[in-house]
């Protein structure tokens, strides 16, 4: 059973996701588009993508697509699918709807008509109809309405793929695992001496970046510690499919290895460091990360083996500078404790502490402030657009090399002088 598959992702991550899917399924033809990547695949590909993708939000299987003008057309679209191939009346379902310039006035009514179509198909075939479960359904359907055409997908993932299965302890504003993976992918960090080198997150919070990095460095598949919706669906329930799924998980388990590079994580809040340690233990990477308390403005650069490059990866507190839909975001407890001169002091500390290492350090900073390089008095080498939920951000790259830092300091006006608002 081969179907069109679609892997949605955060805006700006499409190219990175395309590279990732190509590594997972090198023989597949991919169809990158705005908002995700498409391909054709069957149960085996669904399993591989759910198990290994770190960047996709979900793995959706398209079961119907066509023109529509009203809810009656959507009901007919749902009835065009042989739902006996997917579920029995004993299964539960839920329909979620998204729309782009749809002429329909009620998305809830559109979802209701899709649900009616599914239930009527099964009732006519078996004499029974499935029930709706809005919290933990066996069959999750995604209906997308465009201006003239509708697409109906089976969500094979269930819970969003950013939920890796290890996070229990978190702070006020935890970074999603998929965004942490996107930051690492954009930086070209692969957890090897030649692809990023050592990693240090000096504002680690509950540990998302460091844990995601450690799993990459240790070869731990993103979905190895969780369950997926497809495991409860009929196309994946026969003996061959169950055997294939066990083989894929066993193969992924056999590829786990010790990290080739050191990974460091620290935070000014000892409470958050404790959270991060517990999360790392559940994620199977506690031994791969060296955790410390300490202020990012004072903590010395980690000692690295000779010749090994270092990567700083940081999602600093945003504070009240974030605005979403015209409203200032409510700052977290960590944000409220962040001094106004945090970024100038951080860059000054980096110039002192991170430019002494022969192989150098590269810093990557995620921020919604487009003028961050000016605030830090550093020249960015690159800026990558990324979205942290509804917040438009940039991932800034700064090369912390001793010579260039001295030149930058000489060229920069003194604090409070001209050009330093």
């Amino acid at each position: 059973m081969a179907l069109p598959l679609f892997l949605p992702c955060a805006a700006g991550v499409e190219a990175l996701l395309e590279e990732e899917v190509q590594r997972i399924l090198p023989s597949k033809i991919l169809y990158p588009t705005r908002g995700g990547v498409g391909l054709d695949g069957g149960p085996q590909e669904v399993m591989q993508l759910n198990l290994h993708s770190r960047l996709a939000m979900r793995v959706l299987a398209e079961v119907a697509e066509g023109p529509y003008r009203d809810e009656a057309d959507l009901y007919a679209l749902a009835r065009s699918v042989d739902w006996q191939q997917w579920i029995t009346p004993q299964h539960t379902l839920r329909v979620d709807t998204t729309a782009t310039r749809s002429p329909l006035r009620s998305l809830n009514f559109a979802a209701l008509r899709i649900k009616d179509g599914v239930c009527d198909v099964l009732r006519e075939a078996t004499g029974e109809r499935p029930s709706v479960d809005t919290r933990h359904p066996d069959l999750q359907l995604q209906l997308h309405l465009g201006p003239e055409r509708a697409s109906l997908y089976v969500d094979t993932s269930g819970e969003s793929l950013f939920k890796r299965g290890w996070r229990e302890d978190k702070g006020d504003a935890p970074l999603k695992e998929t965004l942490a993976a996107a930051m690492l992918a954009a930086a070209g960090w692969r957890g090897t001496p030649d692809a990023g080198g050592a990693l240090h997150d000096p504002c680690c919070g509950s540990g998302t970046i460091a844990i995601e990095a450690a799993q990459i460095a240790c070869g731990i598949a993103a979905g190895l510690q969780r369950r997926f919706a497809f495991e409860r669906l009929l196309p994946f329930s026969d003996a061959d499919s169950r055997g294939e799924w066990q083989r894929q998980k066993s193969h992924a388990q056999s590829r786990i290895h010790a990290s080739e590079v050191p990974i460091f994580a620290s935070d000014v809040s000892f409470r958050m460091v404790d959270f991060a340690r517990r999360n790392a233990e559940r994620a199977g990477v506690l031994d791969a990360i060296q955790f410390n308390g300490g202020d990012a403005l004072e903590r010395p650069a980690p000692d690295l083996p000779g010749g090994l490059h270092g990567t700083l990866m940081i999602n600093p507190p945003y504070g009240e500078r974030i605005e979403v839909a015209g409203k200032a975001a409510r700052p977290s407890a960590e944000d409220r404790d962040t001094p106004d001169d945090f970024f100038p002091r951080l860059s000054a500390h980096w110039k002192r502490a991170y430019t002494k290492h022969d192989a150098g350090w590269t810093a990557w900073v995620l921020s919604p402030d487009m003028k961050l390089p000016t605030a830090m008095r550093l020249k960015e080498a690159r800026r990558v657009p990324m979205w942290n939920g509804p917040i438009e951000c940039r991932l800034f790259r700064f090369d912390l090399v001793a010579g260039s830092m001295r030149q930058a300091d000489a060229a920069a006006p003194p604090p409070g002088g001209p050009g330093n608002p």
Side-chain angles (χ1 to χ4, degrees), residues 342-414:
F342 175 80
F343 289 106
R345 290 172 61 193
L346 181 66
S347 63
H349 173 61
W350 284 354
K351 292 173 189 178
R352 289 191 302 269
Y354 286 83
T355 58
K356 301 173 183 178
H357 185 56
D358 291 340
W361 285 80
T362 300
W364 295 83
V365 184
L366 183 71
S367 175
D369 185 356
M370 305 303 163
K371 297 181 180 179
L372 180 72
T374 300
M376 297 188 73
R377 304 188 189 98
L378 291 174
K379 173 63 177 175
E380 80 271 21
R382 188 179 168 203
R383 57 171 67 195
V384 182
M386 286 193 173
W387 288 80
N388 186 357
I391 305 163
E392 184 178 4
C393 297
R394 293 294 182 271
L395 181 63
F396 295 96
R397 170 180 166 168
F398 304 104
D399 295 325
L400 307 180
V401 181
S404 64
M405 289 297 103
R406 284 194 293 269
Q407 294 168 10
D409 282 343

Side-chain angles (χ1 to χ4, degrees), residues 189 196-204 209-210 213 262-267 290 292 294-296 299-302 304 310-314 349-350 354 361-364:
W189 196 90
L199 185 119
H200 181 206
D201 179 0
C203 294
C204 72
I209 293 174
I263 297 171
F264 307 90
S266 55
D267 198 276
Q290 181 177 318
N292 294 285
D295 194 332
R299 181 144 203 93
L304 302 182
T311 297
L312 275 160
M313 185 71 67
I314 179 172
H349 173 61
W350 284 354
Y354 286 83
W361 285 80
T362 300
W364 295 83

Side-chain angles (χ1 to χ4, degrees), residues 2 35 71 91 95 97 125 146 162 171 199-200 204 215 229 238 240 277 294 353 367 391 401 405 418:
E71 290 83 0
H91 285 80
V95 183
T97 307
F162 81 82
L199 185 119
H200 181 206
C204 72
Q215 287 204 329
D238 61 90
D240 289 344
R277 280 199 181 98
S367 175
I391 305 163
V401 181
M405 289 297 103

Side-chain angles (χ1 to χ4, degrees), residues 23 34 42 98 157 169 183 199 201 204 261 263 274 298 348 358 364 398 400 408 411:
R23 288 195 301 271
R34 183 177 179 181
T98 59
S157 302
D169 296 290
M183 293 168 64
L199 185 119
D201 179 0
C204 72
V261 296
I263 297 171
D274 185 48
E298 300 175 355
D358 291 340
W364 295 83
F398 304 104
L400 307 180

